[in-house]
Amino acid sequence: GYVTYEEEGHMPGDPNECREHADYCRRLAKSATSASGRHTFLDLVDTWERLARELENAQAFLRAMKEIEPRKPLDVPERSRAS
């Protein structure tokens, strides 16, 4: 079956791998022979770098959530209903 990121304890994806893809697209943009090809690869650079940042933010959020201890619900008596 499928394993969710909650079961694994981390977000799927690696920010470093995303940055490697961005670097590769940057190299392809430099060697592109057309302006439209260069533009496409530079757009991909932006997309990979944004994904890397989003993964880092999500991973930081998950780490912070793990550190928070759940509170017990407050023991609030039910109000008696007036008839």
Side-chain angles (χ1 to χ4, degrees), residues 33-48:
T33 57
S34 70
S36 65
R38 202 168 18 263
H39 180 73
T40 298
F41 286 120
L42 290 174
D43 283 346
L44 287 169
V45 168
D46 291 340
T47 299
W48 281 113

Side-chain angles (χ1 to χ4, degrees), residues 20-58:
E20 289 173 13
H21 289 300
D23 289 341
Y24 180 65
C25 289
R26 193 174 288 109
R27 289 192 302 274
L28 291 173
K30 287 181 182 179
S31 65
T33 57
S34 70
S36 65
R38 202 168 18 263
H39 180 73
T40 298
F41 286 120
L42 290 174
D43 283 346
L44 287 169
V45 168
D46 291 340
T47 299
W48 281 113
E49 288 178 344
R50 184 176 60 246
L51 179 58
R53 287 189 306 272
E54 289 174 1
L55 283 168
E56 286 173 339
N57 290 339

